[in-house]
Amino acid sequence: MKKIHVALVGNQNCGKSSLFNILTRSNQKIGNFPGVTIEKKEGSFYLEKRIKVIDLPGTYSMFPYSEEEKITRDYLFQNKPDIIVNILDGTILQRGLYLTLQLLSLNIPMIVVINMMDEVEEIGMKIDISSLSSMLHVPVCGISAKKEEGIEAFFIQLKESSVSLIKPQSVFMSYDIENIYHKIHT
C-alpha cells in the first residue's frame, strides 16, 4: 500500500503545527509567535492509507529570504509531496493568498485550509469558501485547529484527495489577490 506524503505549508503563525498535532496526535511545540517551526517535522496517521505528514516552517513566498523559508521551498521542489495542504489564517486571508497562488503553480494536488474560522466569525467577517474553491479550482475547507472544529470535513477532503491526486489547473496566476479577496468576502 502506497504511503501518501502530505506537506503542511503556510505563513508563519497560521496554525500548521496545531493541525499537525491534530493529525498525528503528537505534541509538537506551538506558539503565538513566528518561527516556532524552524525545521521540518514528520509524523503519520492512517486514513485508509498511511499518510505521512510533514510540517514545514512558515513562509510567505516561494522566493525565500530566511533559512526556514529555504527549507520549505527546497522540500517542495526536491521531494514533490503527493498533496500540499496550504493553511491560511482566515483573519488575515490576503497575506496567505499570495503564497497560495504561488503553490498552485507547482502543479501538485492541493487542499486549501482556512484556519481560525472561529475568530473570523467573532470579528464579524464571512468568507465564501465555495467561491474561493471555484476560483482556485482546488478544495477549500474552513477549520478552527484550536477548537478542533471542521476537522472531520477536512479528513473527508483529504481522503478524497489522497485517492484522486488531481493536480490543479495552471490558470490561477491571472487572478490578483485583491480580486479574489473581494469576491469571497460576503
Side-chain angles (χ1 to χ4, degrees), residues 98-130:
Y98 178 72
L99 176 62
T100 301
L101 294 178
Q102 292 178 343
L103 292 171
L104 287 169
S105 70
L106 297 177
N107 201 30
I108 296 172
M110 188 162 90
I111 301 169
V112 173
V113 173
I114 301 174
N115 190 21
M116 302 180 198
M117 289 300 288
D118 56 322
E119 294 178 32
V120 168
E121 289 177 18
E122 283 175 18
I123 60 175
M125 287 175 50
K126 293 188 182 190
I127 299 170
D128 187 341
I129 289 174
S130 179

Side-chain angles (χ1 to χ4, degrees), residues 11 37 40 55-57 62 70-71 100 118 124 136 153 163 166 176 182 184:
N11 296 161
T37 303
K40 66 181 172 60
D55 180 15
L56 294 167
M62 292 306 295
K70 287 178 188 173
I71 291 168
T100 301
D118 56 322
L136 299 177
V163 171
I166 296 172
D176 77 33
H182 291 296
I184 63 171

Side-chain angles (χ1 to χ4, degrees), residues 53-67:
V53 184
I54 298 90
D55 180 15
L56 294 167
T59 186
Y60 292 97
S61 168
M62 292 306 295
F63 305 100
Y65 291 102
S66 70
E67 284 303 312

Side-chain angles (χ1 to χ4, degrees), residues 2-148:
K2 183 179 186 269
K3 190 177 357 177
I4 301 293
H5 290 85
V6 174
L8 303 181
V9 182
N11 296 161
Q12 293 179 351
N13 206 31
C14 69
K16 292 178 307 301
S17 295
S18 294
L19 184 57
F20 177 85
N21 287 340
I22 291 168
L23 296 174
T24 62
R25 296 293 171 209
S26 59
N27 195 18
Q28 294 293 334
K29 180 180 176 184
I30 59 173
N32 192 18
F33 51 92
V36 173
T37 303
I38 56 173
E39 57 189 32
K40 66 181 172 60
K41 295 179 176 126
E42 298 180 8
S44 63
F45 67 98
Y46 286 91
L47 191 62
E48 291 188 13
K49 297 179 179 184
R50 183 164 182 223
I51 309 285
K52 179 179 177 183
V53 184
I54 298 90
D55 180 15
L56 294 167
T59 186
Y60 292 97
S61 168
M62 292 306 295
F63 305 100
Y65 291 102
S66 70
E67 284 303 312
E68 292 83 11
E69 289 179 316
K70 287 178 188 173
I71 291 168
T72 298
R73 185 222 32 217
D74 291 348
Y75 181 86
L76 293 173
F77 283 128
Q78 294 167 9
N79 295 74
K80 295 276 189 201
D82 296 306
I83 300 171
I84 293 173
V85 174
N86 174 218
I87 299 135
L88 292 93
D89 177 342
T91 65
I92 50 173
L93 198 57
Q94 280 177 292
R95 183 183 296 170
L97 286 171
Y98 178 72
L99 176 62
T100 301
L101 294 178
Q102 292 178 343
L103 292 171
L104 287 169
S105 70
L106 297 177
N107 201 30
I108 296 172
M110 188 162 90
I111 301 169
V112 173
V113 173
I114 301 174
N115 190 21
M116 302 180 198
M117 289 300 288
D118 56 322
E119 294 178 32
V120 168
E121 289 177 18
E122 283 175 18
I123 60 175
M125 287 175 50
K126 293 188 182 190
I127 299 170
D128 187 341
I129 289 174
S130 179
S131 291
L132 182 59
S133 181
S134 293
M135 282 187 270
L136 299 177
H137 301 281
V138 296
V140 178
C141 301
I143 70 165
S144 169
K146 179 171 62 176
K147 295 184 176 181
E148 294 194 27

